[in-house]
Amino acid sequence: MRPDLDARPADPRRWAALVLLCTANFMVILDAQSVVMGVPLMAADLGLSPVEAQWILSGNLLTFGGLLLLGGRIADLIGRRRVFMLGTALFLVVSVLSALATAGPVLLVARALHGVSAALMAPTALAILTDMFPEGRERNRALAGWAAIAAIGATIGLLLGGALLGWFGWPSLFFVNVPVALLMLVLSPVLLRESRSASAHRTLGVAGAVLSTAALGLLVYVLVEAPGRGWTSFPVLGVAAVFVVLTAVTIAVDRRSAAPMLPARLFRSPTVLGGNVLTILIAMLVYGMSVVLTQYSLGVLGYTPIRFGLSQSVMPIACVVGAYATQKALARPLLRRVSIAAFVLLATGSALLVRISPDAGYLTTVFPGLLLFGLGLGSASVTLAAAALTGVTPADAGIASGVNVAAFQVGGALGVAVVSTIIAAMPASAGALAGFHAGLAACAGFGVAGAVLAFVLLRRAGRGNLTAVARPH
């Protein structure tokens, strides 16, 4: 083992800590999924226009995506447990504020602050996991749990959200967070050990931090607004141009900084670079598929939220199976092969779902597609998380986790934007299902592209093992 990698003995609390960290991941995803279903009721109760109501979701996504890198780097510097608890405390406060909101602007501000709390919690939890589990079989098992709980949270969010909305109204979507967040705050000092960067540079490059946060926020804004305004509209093109300029300036500033916001050494490992690029594609698939199936099931088939959640339940179950089967394969130098196979499963599952129609049978059409998609999603989530964090030094665990979570958020926003645009672009003369079929075909295309990129980008990982490291300065 290299001297700059952490050689501390394994923490005996690590498996209990994993449950806590996965709970944090679960709650962030659960909140996001359930709120999607409650937006129409919130808008009606609080007098929000359709454009204002959209910002219940967009404001949260903007702050979450924009602040991920900053949250990860701050955690590296001042302590990951400390930042995780700060994010959890903010999550608790804004959940209460959201539930008690009696005016639209209050809810919009609360949802934006929720994005801030998620940006502190999500990358920090993943960094703590990386710190507590050494590379190898145990970390792969931990990452399998992390990936599986994310899939479960996505479906439970639909089921629980539908039930809470029907029984108690939309404030209950936020009140349910409160006891869990309190328990997490109590257990964090007991189960989580503090960790931070041991680097000589214990300061944050303010210029790089501001520029990178602004650039990432602008990118998320473009992806959120493009489907509604049009990809060639002046506001979208204008903001996109500013994003490109800010990105170039950020790179130039970071190259001259003694404490760069995004160290270039992270991407000198082809495995780390490939893991993050492919994470973008995985997120495009997940969110793109979610757009199609949600609109089709609720809009065309007329499913209730609970029935929709039940109809999709095979996918998270298959995801759990795929995740735990894959973590065993990662003990061998098979990362590239497993990644390619995972994307092939995702592409095949998406292609099978292109056959959906109101007359098609669930067991013969929808079930096989969701099953293969879930197996591929579970497998890919574990392999790519392992790749994106392989060989990252303890000093960079927070920012590396922030990059990986940011890649997923950007990919998700891009998937929603592309698939929504494809669905909307289909002419009415093509039929009601044409847009959904085109969206699913696009998802299949994302899967094929992922298999090709995995073959190219993870070539060294295929010949080596999962301990290839990102070289230090």
Side-chain angles (χ1 to χ4, degrees):
M1 179 177 289
R2 290 191 28 232
D4 57 338
L5 294 178
D6 196 347
R8 288 179 294 177
D11 193 315
R13 302 167 296 176
R14 62 192 181 280
W15 293 110
L18 177 63
V19 174
L20 174 63
L21 298 173
C22 285
T23 299
N25 190 29
F26 176 84
M27 293 307 297
V28 169
I29 295 170
L30 179 72
D31 180 273
Q33 285 290 89
S34 61
V35 169
V36 170
M37 301 168 57
V39 167
L41 290 177
M42 298 174 197
D45 280 357
L46 301 179
L48 294 172
S49 69
V51 173
E52 292 170 333
Q54 180 59 35
W55 278 97
I56 296 174
L57 304 176
S58 299
N60 176 75
L61 181 60
L62 191 64
T63 52
F64 186 17
L67 295 171
L68 277 166
L69 297 183
L70 183 60
R73 178 47 89 195
I74 290 175
D76 282 336
L77 297 178
I78 71 173
R80 297 176 186 119
R81 184 180 68 183
R82 182 178 300 170
V83 173
F84 175 78
M85 292 182 65
L86 175 63
T88 303
L90 182 59
F91 179 77
L92 170 63
V93 171
V94 297
S95 293
V96 174
L97 182 62
S98 298
L100 298 178
T102 56
V106 175
L107 181 61
L108 295 181
V109 170
R111 294 308 295 163
L113 289 174
H114 176 269
V116 177
S117 72
L120 295 175
M121 290 171 65
T124 309
L126 188 55
I128 295 172
L129 183 155
T130 304
D131 176 72
M132 297 190 79
F133 289 87
E135 282 187 9
R137 178 175 298 178
E138 283 203 348
R139 182 183 293 180
N140 295 336
R141 289 175 64 189
L143 289 173
W146 177 270
I149 204 68
I152 294 171
T155 297
I156 294 297
L158 297 172
L159 289 170
L160 181 61
L164 290 174
L165 281 171
W167 296 337
F168 304 110
W170 63 262
S172 63
L173 299 178
F174 304 113
F175 277 132
V176 74
N177 298 333
V178 173
V180 181
L182 283 171
L183 184 62
M184 288 165 55
L185 283 173
V186 171
L187 293 179
S188 291
V190 178
L191 298 179
L192 305 180
R193 69 184 182 190
E194 185 59 281
S195 63
R196 58 172 59 86
S197 171
S199 167
H201 300 297
R202 292 300 310 279
T203 59
L204 180 68
V206 176
V210 172
L211 289 169
S212 61
T213 299
L216 191 54
L218 289 176
L219 176 58
V220 174
Y221 178 85
V222 168
L223 297 176
V224 168
E225 291 293 300
R229 294 180 179 270
W231 290 89
T232 58
S233 66
F234 178 77
V236 169
L237 290 179
V239 175
V242 176
F243 159 72
V244 172
V245 172
L246 277 183
T247 300
V249 173
T250 301
I251 294 172
V253 168
D254 264 7
R255 290 182 65 180
R256 291 170 172 78
S257 174
M261 178 67 180
L262 192 60
R265 61 181 176 271
L266 286 179
F267 303 104
R268 291 177 185 153
S269 164
T271 305
V272 173
L273 177 61
N276 283 296
V277 170
L278 292 169
T279 293
I280 294 175
L281 269 173
I282 280 291
M284 290 177 67
L285 270 159
V286 172
Y287 281 86
M289 179 67 73
S290 177
V291 167
V292 176
L293 294 180
T294 302
Q295 292 187 17
Y296 171 73
S297 298
L298 300 181
V300 176
L301 299 181
Y303 281 6
T304 63
I306 294 179
R307 184 178 179 185
F308 172 61
L310 288 173
S311 72
Q312 305 300 302
S313 60
V314 61
M315 185 165 64
I317 293 172
C319 184
V320 173
V321 174
Y324 277 96
T326 297
Q327 58 93 12
K328 296 181 181 298
L330 292 186
R332 309 176 183 92
L334 298 175
L335 186 145
R336 183 171 69 152
R337 296 181 186 178
V338 174
S339 297
I340 293 172
F343 275 104
V344 169
L345 286 171
L346 288 162
T348 305
S350 301
L352 289 176
L353 288 168
V354 172
R355 303 176 299 158
I356 61 172
S357 72
D359 299 324
Y362 176 83
L363 290 178
T364 58
T365 304
V366 179
F367 182 87
L370 293 178
L371 177 64
L372 293 181
F373 193 92
L375 290 171
L377 176 59
S379 179
S381 297
V382 177
T383 56
L384 299 182
L389 299 173
T390 290
V392 172
T393 62
D396 290 329
I399 188 62
S401 299
V403 169
N404 189 241
V405 178
F408 192 85
Q409 288 298 312
V410 169
L414 182 58
V416 170
V418 171
V419 172
S420 297
T421 301
I422 290 173
I423 293 174
M426 294 301 294
S429 58
L433 292 178
F436 299 121
H437 290 165
L440 290 167
C443 290
F446 299 156
V448 172
V452 173
L453 287 175
F455 177 81
V456 174
L457 296 176
L458 300 180
R459 184 167 298 176
R460 291 190 186 180
R463 293 197 299 263
N465 53 50
L466 290 185
T467 58
V469 295
R471 296 189 299 273
H473 286 306

